Amino acid sequence: MEQVFPYEHLHAFTRDVFLKIGCTPEHAQLAATVLLSADLRGIDSHGVARLSGYIRLWEAGRINPLPDIRIVHETPSTAVVDGDGGLGLVVAPFAMQVAIEKAKIAGTGWVSVRHSNHFGIAGYHAMMALRHDMIGMAMTNASPLVAPTFATERMLGTNPIAVAIPAATQPAFVADFATTTAANGKLEILQRKEQEAPLGWIQDKNGVPSTNPNELKSGGALLPLGGDREHGSHKGYCLGSVVDIFSAVLSGANYGPWAPPFVSFLPLPPDPVGKGLGHFFGAMRVDAFRPADEFKDHMDTWINRFRNAATAEGHEKVLIPGDPEREMQAERLEAGVPLLGPVVKDLGEIAMKFKIDF
Amino acid sequence: MEQVFPYEHLHAFTRDVFLKIGCTPEHAQLAATVLLSADLRGIDSHGVARLSGYIRLWEAGRINPLPDIRIVHETPSTAVVDGDGGLGLVVAPFAMQVAIEKAKIAGTGWVSVRHSNHFGIAGYHAMMALRHDMIGMAMTNASPLVAPTFATERMLGTNPIAVAIPAATQPAFVADFATTTAANGKLEILQRKEQEAPLGWIQDKNGVPSTNPNELKSGGALLPLGGDREHGSHKGYCLGSVVDIFSAVLSGANYGPWAPPFVSFLPLPPDPVGKGLGHFFGAMRVDAFRPADEFKDHMDTWINRFRNAATAEGHEKVLIPGDPEREMQAERLEAGVPLLGPVVKDLGEIAMKFKIDF
């Protein structure tokens, strides 16, 4: 059912596909690295499994392979970047780099992005800040799949937030999570296994809690982190909303239910309120607050203390955000990336279409 | 059981109490306004009900009524403020004002605070940005009551986040929430009513989910937003951790389990890793991204669209963050603030102690 591929093989293939759709060599290389960082980190739903989705969006004319990505407005600590309809996989690193350059001079940099597309995993972009002894943040809005508390309509995407914080001898703290109870990729796994979803993940088209993982196909919705009002779903709804507003209202992208869908078979929402999808990035120099070494030593103390907190029975240790993904990356760089049968088939079809080896 | 008091009466009383402990008239006035903004907005657990708690901390020598609040480090868009052990109720507005002044020049301002105390509700401080056409953010760490996912130890506070975003004709979007499933104040209500808590709010001292609202008194813990791993508690744990690190590791305050408790009968944790409690504030000029009128018009569209989303049966409309609190404030300014018997008794004892009228 699963086949394992060396990372380098998948990377070369993915780069070649992006070249075939007309990206520059530099962009093709970068887009492959960003996309595959999801596979390396074990977030399989956001990696090479989505390559065919990007291709179909390009075929539908919704992705510009040769974008003129540029700053359209700026102040000492802020900028708005227009992605010119390019791959989010290349627009996002451009914008995050702008945030980092702003932070070098102003202490922090904050960049809102319009007219972009899906950007892979938020964590990749946030982690760009680490090598500069900066805290990195990345978020994006996304296809509307989530119903606010009390609503039946899908108004928000899974709108992830990533925060990367450097430490000294400890690996960095890297949080990267959807603002829903469960990401859509987890539902897809249950669909394939024909298993029920826990209550609190989804509701049906009438807003009634459901355990049927296929509910989204018949008008249902994902639920904000918290699941229901009694368990704080209004807080998940707040978080998803803040991501939407920072990413799209600040920049001039489409927000809420106007966010363009990732799938090419759904039409773009009529009467757009902006351009494309939106992202938001932040970089904060830690020495804009206190000496970097002092900060990073305290992060070591923080991480050590939390990692060694007393655990409940059945759990060996408390995880630090980023631990599981870092361990997965080390494993997959060594042993290769396992892909499910349908993904391998998809990639084979892409190879045929573009007459390249897979 | 309840008694209703005019807001002005409670404000004058609270101000007089802060004068009695040695605050300047300006600080006493401000501290009363910040503290009572919780009562007005219906967050009764954080308002005048806590006045006796602040007094006891002062009696224990843990609050400095005449602090020298000052900036100890800064860049164009950042600052670290030392609260000199003062009331968070006055340290926080000082720091938020620094963030606003930074934003006027650099586009954004970000201020981390050390050596402070509890600051009332986060929403008050975030909302200070609104009148400047800025987005405001406020967060704070707090007494350790929350167990990270898989842990039995209390490592984090309820660590709230507030985000205030201006609109044009619509009232502002104001999110203000603890990063736990339920705030501690909600547990206290269940304790008084002798009712059970929903699963997902708390665990016992062994890390087993519990419905007993008294669990915290016997070594149990509050749970991060999400409740358990299957429902995303690791995301709530990430959020609470980010608040802790931004508020306390960036500034040089006490973080994690070292955060000083709000109650005077608990000793301060030994071997402190910093000074006092920490906060973090942000201000972003919306016109650092796009013209303010354009932004605010789109916020009106956002708010209208969400407020009018189709609702599940039994719900009239989808709420916009800040709606319930704003309605409560209008009502209580008009009809007065209801206080529970034990709170009235507490205030009566404070009045006796300081020989002032209540």
Side-chain angles (χ1 to χ4, degrees), chain A residues 79-82 95 111-117 119 122 137-142 156 158-162 239-256 259 274-282, chain B residues 135 165 284 289-290 295 299 302:
Chain A
V80 172
V81 163
D82 189 308
V111 178
S112 192
V113 179
R114 70 183 185 210
H115 207 182
S116 187
N117 280 287
F119 72 11
M137 300 179 67
M139 51 189 89
T140 186
N141 71 348
L156 292 166
T158 53
N159 294 9
I161 300 174
L239 280 170
S241 300
V242 168
V243 171
D244 191 43
I245 293 165
F246 283 15
S247 300
V249 185
L250 270 182
S251 66
N254 290 292
Y255 42 81
K275 286 162 123 187
L277 211 62
H279 318 307
F280 188 77
F281 303 98
Chain B
I135 292 172
I165 306 175
M284 300 196 286
F289 295 92
R290 68 192 296 189
F295 175 85
M299 277 308 299
W302 192 101

Side-chain angles (χ1 to χ4, degrees), chain A residues 278-333:
Chain A
H279 318 307
F280 188 77
F281 303 98
M284 300 198 286
R285 246 171 53 210
V286 297
D287 70 0
F289 295 93
R290 68 191 296 189
D293 287 346
E294 205 177 283
F295 174 85
K296 292 193 290 180
D297 283 347
H298 277 284
M299 277 307 299
D300 276 2
T301 306
W302 193 101
I303 289 169
N304 273 317
R305 183 65 185 86
F306 276 70
R307 209 194 292 287
N308 293 300
T311 52
E313 210 181 308
H315 298 286
E316 261 179 57
K317 60 179 182 183
V318 171
L319 298 176
I320 302 302
D323 277 355
E325 296 84 3
R326 192 183 60 255
E327 285 163 19
M328 182 65 85
Q329 173 155 336
E331 188 185 313
R332 290 189 168 179
L333 276 174

Side-chain angles (χ1 to χ4, degrees), chain A residues 149-151 206-207 229, chain B residues 309-319:
Chain A
T149 306
F150 304 155
N206 298 315
R229 180 65 178 77
Chain B
T311 53
E313 210 181 306
H315 298 286
E316 261 179 58
K317 60 179 182 183
V318 171
L319 299 176

Side-chain angles (χ1 to χ4, degrees), chain B residues 30-53:
Chain B
L30 176 60
T33 300
V34 174
L35 187 67
L36 284 169
S37 70
D39 296 287
L40 285 181
R41 293 175 71 77
I43 309 158
D44 298 350
S45 54
H46 284 56
V48 76
R50 281 201 174 165
L51 185 57
S52 62

Side-chain angles (χ1 to χ4, degrees), chain B residues 219-272:
Chain B
L222 288 170
L223 293 170
L225 178 58
D228 59 28
R229 180 63 179 79
E230 190 172 73
H231 293 88
S233 66
H234 54 300
K235 303 178 182 192
Y237 159 41
C238 282
L239 279 171
S241 300
V242 168
V243 171
D244 191 42
I245 293 165
F246 283 16
S247 300
V249 186
L250 270 182
S251 65
N254 289 291
Y255 42 81
W258 288 281
F262 184 67
V263 289
S264 59
F265 60 83
L266 285 179
L268 291 173
D271 306 319

